[in-house]
Amino acid sequence: MKNVISKTLVASAISTAMLAGAVQADVTLVSWGGGYSASQQKAYVDTYSSGNVNMISYNGGLGEVRAQVESGNVQWDIVDVLPSQARTGCDEGLFEELDRSIFLPAPDGTPMDQDLMVDVPNDCVVPQIWWSYVPFHKADTFSGEQPSTIQDFFDVEKFPGKRGVHTWANAIVEMALYADGVAIPDIYDVLSTQEGQDRAFNKLDSIKDHVVFWSAGAKPLDLVNSGEVSMSLAYNGRIGGAVLNDGADYVTVWDGQVLEEEWLVLMSGAPKEAAALHFLVHASSTQAQADQAKWINYGPMRPSALPLMEAGEPWFNTGVNIMEHMPNTDEHMKGGILANPDWWADNGQAVNDRYAAWMAN
């Protein structure tokens, strides 16, 4: 216990020293908008007492980030990025490498970088959330036996109706291989072969005549609500938001979900670097990550946050239990697939091109 307290005090002292020279400067945090940014506002910004943080929205990508850094006119401090941008941006020097010792350990003393479900890809990133692609349907869609596996999503005879599927290859090809019997640890090795990719697309062919494609995150809910599809893939936060906030009668099938990382990064040349670092220490803490789940059912990247949530049930802000809607609980991870951003960086263009051709035929 003395060691835990010591580490926490050291990290707090460092972050306090950083803030001392920051004159409580306004920090600009750039994120995705909607319910996700609202959860960050509630969990991180509204609980931060050491300065002002202004949130703005963007459409993702590195275009504006690169333009600001290359022009020397950096306006943003912190950016919420997808795993591919986290890796590319750090490699290109668009984001600062961060001293890992300043971040708060878990309650049991585990350093932040070891309190994660995956290896940290570089020193530029600060953990944020897990979100996932999952199948779902309305509770009254099927009588008798109910869908419970990813194989059921691909079985249109046993569970009739059309299927909602997104217009890019990520996640659906992994799901196809898992549904075809490939063990989760082997999925990316199999996908790395021509035979494995053929196998994935052959599985996709089994539902091709039953697919309705979507590209906007709200669309799967519309498709299911209207009855145009009996099951659809969707972002787990969209499903959970409708259930937790509005009482929607959706059923999520967690088996075969594909989880994606989300990170915060500090812009290279950030105008309020010291204050931004101080805020990042706060926003990446175990408590802050748990607090975000009061407002959205994306999973904290730090597993140490999950026991806090479970012990505090009902945790969600509406007074309902949240754990059954978290993508990265032990129960839901039994059939969970962690997306491999490095594999997609190396192979994504070819697979996405093939997927686009598959959609068009």
Side-chain angles (χ1 to χ4, degrees):
M1 178 61 70
K2 186 177 294 184
N3 187 43
V4 175
I5 294 172
S6 174
K7 288 182 177 180
T8 302
L9 289 176
V10 168
S12 297
I14 293 172
S15 63
T16 300
M18 287 191 300
L19 187 65
V23 199
Q24 294 200 350
D26 287 357
V27 172
T28 299
L29 168 60
V30 183
S31 191
W32 301 88
Y36 178 54
S37 284
S39 71
Q40 293 173 310
Q41 177 76 40
K42 293 283 189 181
Y44 304 155
V45 178
D46 292 353
T47 61
Y48 185 60
S49 59
S50 299
N52 297 319
V53 178
N54 302 318
M55 292 196 69
I56 62 175
S57 299
Y58 81 137
N59 292 321
L62 293 176
E64 179 62 20
V65 170
R66 191 176 286 111
Q68 289 187 28
V69 173
E70 291 180 352
S71 69
N73 184 27
V74 179
Q75 303 295 314
W76 299 345
D77 297 298
I78 301 168
V79 186
D80 191 297
V81 294
L82 297 172
S84 58
Q85 281 89 56
R87 288 157 170 80
T88 302
C90 193
D91 289 344
E92 293 185 12
L94 302 178
F95 307 135
E96 296 284 357
E97 294 189 357
L98 307 176
D99 178 0
R100 314 311 289 182
S101 69
I102 70 173
F103 296 100
L104 296 172
D108 67 356
T110 302
M112 181 184 73
D113 284 357
Q114 295 176 31
D115 183 28
L116 297 171
M117 291 169 56
V118 292
D119 293 336
V120 180
N122 52 56
D123 286 341
C124 294
V125 298
V126 172
Q128 193 52 186
I129 52 95
W130 288 103
W131 58 273
S132 70
Y133 297 93
V134 286
F136 81 108
H137 59 278
K138 291 184 70 174
D140 61 356
T141 300
F142 305 103
S143 59
E145 186 177 355
Q146 298 295 302
S148 60
T149 67
I150 194 62
Q151 287 87 349
D152 294 335
F153 183 82
F154 284 86
D155 193 339
V156 292
E157 292 187 6
K158 186 176 182 180
F159 298 102
K162 291 189 177 295
R163 304 295 196 253
V165 174
H166 47 274
T167 55
W168 52 94
N170 300 64
I172 185 63
V173 294
E174 291 99 320
M175 290 177 178
L177 281 183
Y178 183 42
D180 201 46
V182 177
I184 289 175
D186 300 330
I187 285 176
Y188 287 103
D189 287 339
V190 173
L191 265 181
S192 296
T193 68
Q194 186 62 51
E195 180 184 11
Q197 292 180 23
D198 290 345
R199 184 174 176 180
F201 279 91
N202 286 338
K203 189 65 175 180
L204 289 173
D205 283 341
S206 70
I207 60 170
K208 177 61 185 297
D209 294 338
H210 304 270
V211 169
V212 176
F213 292 107
W214 59 265
S215 57
K219 189 63 175 177
L221 279 62
D222 294 338
L223 293 173
V224 167
N225 288 338
S226 68
E228 186 174 351
V229 304
S230 60
M231 302 175 69
S232 182
L233 302 180
Y235 305 131
N236 79 286
R238 292 281 185 166
I239 305 164
V243 173
L244 293 163
N245 292 304
D246 306 319
D249 60 344
Y250 298 145
V251 177
T252 299
V253 177
W254 294 101
D255 181 66
Q257 67 164 328
V258 177
L259 293 92
E260 295 275 3
E261 311 161 6
E262 196 82 18
W263 304 93
L264 295 178
V265 293
L266 177 68
M267 291 270 290
S268 181
K272 306 296 190 299
E273 179 177 341
L277 277 170
H278 190 272
F279 177 75
L280 284 173
V281 171
H282 167 70
S284 60
S285 68
T286 294
Q287 184 64 56
Q289 293 231 315
D291 286 344
Q292 188 174 7
K294 290 181 178 179
W295 306 98
I296 199 165
N297 67 311
Y298 290 143
M301 287 197 76
R302 299 189 67 166
S304 61
L306 293 170
L308 298 183
M309 295 154 52
E310 188 169 17
E313 292 276 40
W315 188 257
F316 199 66
N317 73 89
T318 58
V320 298
N321 288 353
I322 188 64
M323 294 303 290
E324 63 194 89
H325 302 285
M326 281 287 112
N328 57 332
T329 62
D330 289 343
E331 181 66 26
H332 294 160
M333 284 304 300
K334 289 178 181 177
I337 303 164
L338 294 176
N340 185 329
D342 295 314
W343 187 91
W344 279 99
D346 294 337
N347 304 278
Q349 187 62 55
V351 174
N352 274 300
D353 287 347
R354 182 170 179 178
Y355 187 75
W358 178 80
M359 287 193 299
N361 292 331

